[in-house]
Amino acid sequence: MTAALLTTALLPPPAAASGRPEGGSPAPLPARMARTGGGTQLITAVAPVPASTTGTVTWWRQRAGSWVRVGSAAARFGANGLVDGSGRIQGTSTTPAGLYGLPFAFGTAGAPAGTSFRYRRVTERSWWCQDNRSTAYNRWVEPLPRDCAATEAERLAAYRTQYARALVIGFNYRRPVRGRGAGIFLHVNGRGATAGCVSVSAQAMRAILTWADPAARPHIAIGTGSGPTAITRY
């Protein structure tokens, strides 16, 4: 199903902090957020409360100064819920709340027709290094370097379902902090909650990749409906 078709069956918008313009209609979620990354596209991933492992991913486009919802899908989060990204600890199976860039897309399958995002095809030599001692910490590596232990890295081809198509979430990416976490992606659903990523159906992932436009500088905001990890804080 295309992105256009998905918009005809949108899920209800996730709960978030209140905000109503004149006239009483709720302002769209991006309009209530502290920041959106400065672009004209935004993905929001919202869970009800920090302990939640499910929620909603919505993708938005700014048109004529107003945010318009393009599509929405059910989402899964870390097995131990969400935490503020600035204090996250690696290996806790928590999804980092915050606002992040989207460095590139990748997959064990090819890019969907119409994808304009930079897309890397996974091979048998593709790994994501999560070894805190490695100079390649929180980076795609091909092949695995000597200073990154295989037991501390993820062989991407081993996850053909989850990583059929994915977007790298720029958490702890630009200037990685050791011990904070590595390999956080927006990817296709597996069997249940994630190890810290955000996941959606294969259909939704395809729609997001064909919608995402690097010229629109899309970001992803992850958070809860309220509280210290409220998405409107980011």
Side-chain angles (χ1 to χ4, degrees):
M1 185 183 291
T2 64
L5 289 176
L6 277 177
T7 60
T8 65
L10 300 178
L11 297 175
S18 62
R20 293 178 180 270
E22 288 187 24
S25 299
L29 177 57
R32 291 179 272 133
M33 291 172 55
R35 296 180 301 131
T36 58
T40 56
Q41 285 188 335
L42 180 70
I43 300 169
T44 56
V46 185
V49 296
S52 301
T53 59
T54 59
T56 306
V57 160
T58 305
W59 47 109
W60 308 79
R61 183 81 193 222
Q62 194 177 53
R63 294 174 183 157
S66 298
W67 287 99
V68 178
R69 186 172 62 173
V70 177
S72 191
R76 299 174 184 173
F77 298 94
N80 289 319
L82 290 77
V83 297
D84 191 282
S86 64
R88 184 180 184 271
I89 298 173
Q90 185 166 330
T92 55
S93 293
T94 53
T95 298
L99 177 69
Y100 308 107
L102 298 164
F104 63 92
F106 69 92
T108 60
T115 300
S116 56
F117 234 73
R118 182 165 72 97
Y119 193 94
R120 297 189 69 170
R121 187 70 181 266
V122 172
T123 74
E124 293 299 323
R125 290 158 49 89
S126 305
W127 295 75
W128 198 276
C129 182
Q130 301 178 14
D131 191 334
N132 281 280
R133 298 165 296 183
S134 175
T135 55
Y137 178 67
N138 202 19
R139 287 293 183 272
W140 173 301
V141 289
E142 194 170 322
L144 191 68
R146 288 186 178 183
D147 72 343
C148 184
T151 54
E152 297 293 328
E154 197 168 62
R155 190 169 75 86
L156 300 178
Y159 299 91
R160 294 194 177 276
T161 297
Q162 294 94 323
Y163 297 160
R165 294 184 174 114
L167 273 166
V168 176
I169 294 175
F171 165 73
N172 201 31
Y173 187 79
R174 182 173 293 182
R175 296 182 181 88
V177 175
R178 311 289 170 168
R180 185 160 290 170
I184 301 297
F185 312 128
L186 172 62
H187 64 71
V188 176
N189 287 334
R191 292 186 177 182
T194 73
C197 296
V198 180
S199 72
V200 293
S201 69
Q203 181 184 49
M205 195 69 236
R206 187 185 307 114
I208 289 169
L209 284 174
T210 56
W211 158 84
D213 178 2
R217 295 179 293 157
H219 286 67
I220 184 168
I222 303 168
T224 52
S226 59
T229 52
I231 195 167
T232 49
R233 293 182 60 236
Y234 304 109

